[in-house]
Amino acid sequence: LSVERTAVIRNVGSGGLAVAGLIESDHPLLTAVNTTVSANAEPQIDVELGAKMALVNTTISGASAIHVSDDTSDDSTAIELTNALVVGTCYVAADASVVTHGGNLESPGNTCSLVDATDQVAVSNPAIGALQNNGGFTQTHALARGSPAIGAGVDAGCPATDQRGITRPAPAS
């Protein structure tokens, strides 16, 4: 399943995006690209029971941003992050993993255990705006002037447009 240019917001039941299930593949069950997951019941993202999820150019905002639960199978539960903006905390079980492909920013700590050289962790102020209409068809958190997330993503696999459908600036040469 692929979710693109979407806002998953204000769900009151079991949070934002959740994926569960044992799989025999290295491919994620759910891939979210150019998506905002915010203001839901906690957690915003829930990955469990040997499932895999990939978040690309996605903003996750909430006290309990990402929950990766214990795995009862031989396959590890995993979440892959690329250019993700995580505002809140991660809970990652001992036998689960967060795989980083770079360009991620986590605030206020490093509870996702991001280790890529291009990741920014323990950012005290990610400088993002309130969840609102910033253009396009979905609500987003705009990056404020001076946000450490501006220009900090990795180019590999980065979509040409953002969640709003606006063309991204060309990488600096």
Side-chain angles (χ1 to χ4, degrees):
L1 177 64
S2 181
V3 177
E4 295 186 32
R5 293 181 52 199
T6 302
V8 180
I9 58 175
R10 297 184 185 92
N11 292 296
V12 294
S14 59
L17 290 175
V19 62
L22 303 176
I23 60 173
E24 300 279 333
S25 171
D26 290 333
H27 302 290
L29 285 174
L30 175 68
T31 300
V33 179
N34 283 342
T35 297
T36 296
V37 184
S38 181
N40 297 292
E42 304 296 339
Q44 302 302 309
I45 302 287
D46 191 15
V47 184
E48 58 185 47
L49 298 175
K52 292 175 176 60
M53 180 185 288
L55 303 175
V56 179
N57 291 73
T58 294
T59 299
I60 307 101
S61 178
S64 176
I66 297 175
H67 181 267
V68 186
S69 68
D70 291 338
D71 179 30
T72 57
S73 73
D74 292 334
D75 296 327
S76 66
T77 303
I79 188 164
E80 298 179 19
L81 302 176
T82 307
N83 297 338
L85 176 56
V86 180
V87 181
T89 60
C90 290
Y91 165 78
V92 181
D95 59 347
S97 63
V98 173
V99 177
T100 175
H101 297 290
N104 303 296
L105 184 148
E106 184 181 357
S107 176
N110 186 16
T111 55
C112 291
S113 300
L114 300 174
V115 296
D116 190 89
T118 61
D119 292 332
Q120 298 178 67
V121 297
V123 174
S124 62
N125 181 5
I128 65 169
L131 182 64
Q132 63 185 12
N133 184 341
N134 293 298
F137 296 105
T138 62
Q139 293 186 334
T140 58
H141 290 281
L143 298 177
R145 177 168 285 157
S147 171
I150 295 173
V154 294
D155 293 334
C158 184
T161 59
D162 66 15
Q163 181 176 332
R164 302 165 300 156
I166 296 174
T167 302
R168 294 181 193 281
S173 50

